[in-house]
Amino acid sequence: MTTYQYQDNLPKLPIPPLEDTLQRYLSAVKPLQREKDFLQTNTVVGQFLENEGPKLQEKLQSYATDKSSYIEEFWYDSYLSYTDPVVLNLNPFFVLADDPTPARNNQVSRAASLILSSLNFVHALRTETLEPDVFRGTPLDMSQFQRMFGTARLPTEKGCKMDTDPDSKHIVVLCRGQFYWFDVLNENNEVGITEKELVANLKTIKQDAEGIPVVEIAKHAVGILSTENRRIWADLRDMLEKSSENKDFLKVLDSALFVVCLDEVSPKTGDELATNMLCGTYDVQEGVQVGTCANRWYDKLQIIVCENGSAGVNFEHTGVDGHTVLRFVSDIYTDTIFRFASTIKSHKKSLFHSIPGHSNGTKQTNGFSTVDTLPKKLEWILTPEVRTGIRFAETRLSDLILQNEVQVLEYEKYGKSFITGCNLSPDAFVQIAFQAAYYGLYGSIESTYEPAMTKAFSHGRTEAIRSVTTDSVDFVKLWWADVPDSEKLKSLRKAIKTHADLTKMCSKGLGQDRHLYALLCVWQREFGKNPDNEEKMPAIFRDSGWQTLNHTVLSTSNCGNPALRFFGFGPVVSNGFGLGYIIKDEGITFCASSKHRQTRRFLQTLENYLNDVHLLLRSERQSSGNVNARNEEYISMLSGYGYFDAGGIDQLLEYRFEEKKEDMKRIGTALKLVDF
């Protein structure tokens, strides 16, 4: 089985009939608008259907003729034209579950283990032996994996661009804001370094970095520049590149497979851990920033490891969605388990079947030149102008960190098992819970976004599920009203079914957001370059309905599997919440962010709702005697996570754990027996 064996046979994402899209659009905006506003929106939609719409639809269909996806280029450009800092605004994060091997729950050992597993993943990907993603018999697009490693987002005067080095053989390690690099793959893309050598390298790097006084870290932390406004960063990068040494250093950094950040913190709470992975810590001592926020490079994929072995990933989001990175982190987490198992069992077992010797980290040189694994330091040449740029980038980043907060809720009373036992979709159940909690706290209904994965199509990314429906609004109002419980539950079931049906439609590419956005992009390419044409923009895109729908107050995503503890992202509007959640068999994990709205209080309101609805559903089940009934029909892995899109998958990779079930049982037994 080869990685891209299904790629050429994937269907293209359909361009829906215009009339269908407009009808779905009206259904999405109606529950968010006052009656008189909706009447106006209905009028401009009718005008669009009669006038500009069909012409733009025809142009879009013509444009898409030779494209893998009609939306891909437009979506790509929407990310690259973004000028605000990517930290807290674009880059999401995952927090891995702790390593089940206690001996690895320290920084150097955990980092070395994750690096080695990541290199095995890269080798499998480049040799096209990585198993392709298939869900319930449906092949999924694998093209995004080509943009994961050796890739960087580069700021330029005209906007950002993406650059990928398909032949990259090295990694970069950040410690105390200092940059180090060394080769890790040989000429055949095989792992060219052992785990023991990785441990030695990381120890050497930490020892060297400790020679930098804490108060000097931020002054030399070039990585802080990647947190700047993209236009400012482009100017500062030009200043850096005036030095030939710096220009070479940037090439090393840009082309690295990925960046490893060794952080000098040991988060004690879930809130602290999530915050560190999203934006780093704020810690000012004697007027100087010494937090981990100075130990990042946000233009690339970053593996972040804390002193206590807590680990996560923060990733640049332009070319890859959450489900693609989820596959990566899930596989490397699983691989660490199997490599540990190989030290207990007599035979070698690996998640990456194609890699001989992988399980003990043996170098794979096969006659090729020896890999230069000695770490080297990037000694930046910093002019006064660049030093000033670093200083002000740090103070702006510090402001940004203090303007946001991250809170987590690890809800353990029940999870997927109970919800499916009530014949309800777990994802839709949580989506309705968000709306009920928000209405209970604020008494209003706001635009809510959840991405649906469209990777069943060639170069598919996501479609927007607009979770607020007429049925969900009816339910949340009933929930907080004095009506019989039976009436509340009947309304809840109706709202959940509506959301589940909506998810199915969006996963087929039959939503409204992507299609309408593509039509807007077609108009902009045709007429938007002339400022005089701004007033001629189709009224549908100037109407309050369009603005209301796209002002996403609740940006949500369902993503996760046993490899993850948390995942999250920042709010996408100033008065919004970013809500990442993982639905487990016996619990639900939430990670909420906002610009200091009542984040903790919102999670408390959500928890109270979950407790109350649990009581009602338990009572219903007991009275009906239907204790074990389940209905898997509405369980969907197609809902996901995002900023503009992103996208997570619920349960996409669980089959990997199922395949290894017996092995995992033996590993678990071994872990209990080994005395550390």
Side-chain angles (χ1 to χ4, degrees), residues 195-268:
E195 189 165 1
K196 184 177 180 180
E197 289 171 326
L198 282 168
V199 168
N201 277 4
L202 297 178
K203 286 182 177 179
T204 298
I205 287 170
K206 281 175 65 69
Q207 185 177 6
D208 182 81
E210 285 169 0
I212 304 293
V214 173
V215 294
E216 295 293 317
I217 293 174
K219 296 179 182 178
H220 304 89
V222 174
I224 286 180
L225 297 177
S226 69
T227 71
E228 261 287 13
N229 173 283
R230 304 306 291 183
R231 292 194 179 98
I232 296 175
W233 176 203
D235 291 340
L236 289 167
R237 186 177 169 111
D238 287 343
M239 293 180 193
L240 270 175
E241 289 185 329
K242 288 179 180 178
S243 159
S244 59
E245 292 93 339
N246 288 345
K247 194 168 187 177
D248 290 340
F249 294 161
L250 285 169
K251 287 180 181 177
V252 169
L253 185 49
D254 295 337
S255 62
L257 288 165
F258 50 84
V259 173
V260 178
C261 303
L262 302 179
D263 283 356
E264 295 184 307
V265 293
S266 295
K268 294 182 175 62

Side-chain angles (χ1 to χ4, degrees), residues 432-433 435-436 469-481 487-496 609 613:
I432 301 304
Q435 293 181 49
T469 63
T470 301
D471 289 333
S472 72
V473 172
D474 289 345
F475 166 70
V476 298
K477 290 182 177 179
L478 271 179
W479 178 259
W480 297 104
E487 200 172 327
K488 292 180 179 180
L489 290 179
K490 181 179 179 181
S491 181
L492 172 64
R493 290 186 176 279
K494 185 177 181 182
I496 286 177
Y609 166 83
V613 78

Side-chain angles (χ1 to χ4, degrees), residues 450-524:
E450 180 190 14
M453 187 189 70
T454 56
K455 284 186 78 175
F457 300 98
S458 177
H459 290 232
R461 297 203 63 160
T462 59
E463 177 57 82
I465 306 170
R466 291 299 176 177
S467 303
V468 176
T469 63
T470 301
D471 289 333
S472 72
V473 172
D474 289 345
F475 166 70
V476 298
K477 290 182 177 179
L478 271 179
W479 178 259
W480 297 104
D482 185 16
V483 298
D485 292 345
S486 59
E487 200 172 327
K488 292 180 179 180
L489 290 179
K490 181 179 179 181
S491 181
L492 172 64
R493 290 186 176 279
K494 185 177 181 182
I496 286 177
K497 184 180 186 306
T498 298
H499 184 89
D501 291 344
L502 193 60
T503 299
K504 291 178 184 178
M505 292 297 290
C506 289
S507 69
K508 297 175 183 177
L510 302 178
Q512 67 285 322
D513 283 47
R514 303 298 184 256
H515 185 194
L516 288 174
Y517 181 71
L519 294 174
L520 173 60
C521 290
V522 168
W523 183 89
Q524 289 173 331

Side-chain angles (χ1 to χ4, degrees), residues 122 128 196 219 273 307 369 406 421 495 529-530 602 629 636 674:
V122 172
E128 299 188 11
K196 184 177 180 180
K219 296 179 182 178
L273 182 57
E307 287 281 7
S369 59
V406 182
K529 294 179 181 179
N530 185 348
F602 174 78
S636 174
V674 175

